[in-house]
Amino acid sequence: MARLCVHTITTKTLPIEQCLEEYPRRGITGITIWRQALEGRNCGTIARQTRDAGLTVVSLCRGGFFPGRTAAERQRAIDDNRRAIDEAHAVGAPLIVLVCGAVPGQPLVESRRQIAEGIAEILPAAQQAGVQLAIEPLHPMYADDRSAVNTLRQANDICDSLGSPTGLGIAVDVYHVWWDPELESQIAQTGAARRLLAFHICDWRTPTVDLLNDRGLMGEGCIPIRQISEWVDATGFTGYREVEIFSNRWWNVEPRHFLDQIQQSYATLYGSTMDHSAGT
Amino acid sequence: MARLCVHTITTKTLPIEQCLEEYPRRGITGITIWRQALEGRNCGTIARQTRDAGLTVVSLCRGGFFPGRTAAERQRAIDDNRRAIDEAHAVGAPLIVLVCGAVPGQPLVESRRQIAEGIAEILPAAQQAGVQLAIEPLHPMYADDRSAVNTLRQANDICDSLGSPTGLGIAVDVYHVWWDPELESQIAQTGAARRLLAFHICDWRTPTVDLLNDRGLMGEGCIPIRQISEWVDATGFTGYREVEIFSNRWWNVEPRHFLDQIQQSYATLYGSTMDHSAGT
């Protein structure tokens, strides 16, 4: 379980204080905190509680959503990303995952331009706060309103176009990229550029009945998670494997039972051979 | 309306005999026939009725689904594709659209290999029957069980790998490819290789509530249909624009009212400047 991290959204019916008890009690050492889980909390208090619980904060989810129809909308996004950087710093998260955004009907090339511009604008603040930014390419079924960045190649292109700055990288989520014919080579490329900053796992169910909230637990679907994990590890990545599951089905299950299932499926997936200490 | 074609599945509550009356009555000159619409009919009779109605059969939907876990399954797919070729020939369809297939959990590379193999196997029969085959790349959200071919680049690669044989080409459906960052260049490439055989239109709704049957009428969504049509026409394509809409919402509307809406949205989309006679 040494590389297992769970996203608070995965167990969203548990308030973060209970995640901070429940995860370490079971030997889960990594936590990725969604901003919703911090609402009404003091980030410094959560940071202290997390440390005291022996948990590593892997990342903060999420920043991004840079495109907008007007300059005012885009500025609001920038402001919100600056707040996310402050929160990440305060809560002890070394990384923010960026869901880059898209505006339905706005040309994708324009949204992509606005995304690169937005990242460039917040990057200095992130660098100063010691917080890395990870572009997460999203599945093409989210190209309408969630992200105009839908492949690893595009994410790499954005990093290149910004001059491969320190503190900017990529989050690989198997759900979003598993179908990509270039997946193996693009993972290698991402690793070679020292940009592979995070790795998210879950599964793709057949049939998928909801575009947003019908992700599967690892093993419930068709994604070759083990194969993709090997490609990721082959780049030298030793960080956490983060379980990020949006699922109306699983959210209706008692969260402690769900965590049992997650740990069991994680163990089945990686056995003892692939689980060494997370090196993040 | 000279380049407007409607798929029988778009008005699936109308039996094909009624499509053959209703489409031409409104000035629609192209029809793409789904095999379900032919069940219990004599293809020769439908061919004659179609001709008498002044309709052009644009294509038959659909062949494909080549991958299978066993040789017997793959052979059944081959046999079914041969039947599709016979039906296309009998009904007067010059083209079969291929939804290539995928098997959940089978590596995509293996499915792609089986797809190329399957196409190679049926191609001689198609050539002999004077029926073209068009690989239709499907949206990556169908990579689990409908198609392991999810981009135009992959479809072009398959054509190349088979030696660009006569009678094999590609169908471009805006719903499946609109998100692709390589779309413009891949359309140009498809055209330059003289492989762009069919063009399907509909729209992507936000939110999309069903992965299969929530397509939008043109104008209801975010796809830059006009822009993509211009890229398609720029290759020299003068064929039909085929309206293929799977929609529980629209299927609940009186089909004649739906056809009114289709014609109105088609006219809004293309005006008079882009609608010349279909040159298929």
Side-chain angles (χ1 to χ4, degrees), chain A residues 26-46:
Chain A
R26 328 172 137 259
I28 297 170
T29 61
I31 186 170
T32 277
I33 298 175
W34 278 59
R35 295 176 72 193
Q36 296 93 309
L38 294 173
E39 267 170 35
R41 272 78 168 182
N42 177 288
C43 286
T45 307
I46 297 293

Side-chain angles (χ1 to χ4, degrees), chain A residues 112 144 179 204 206 208 211, chain B residues 112 144 179 204 206 208 211:
Chain A
R112 289 169 194 144
D144 55 343
W179 59 272
W204 181 285
T206 303
T208 292
L211 278 82
Chain B
R112 289 170 194 144
D144 55 343
W179 60 273
W204 181 285
T206 304
T208 291
L211 277 81

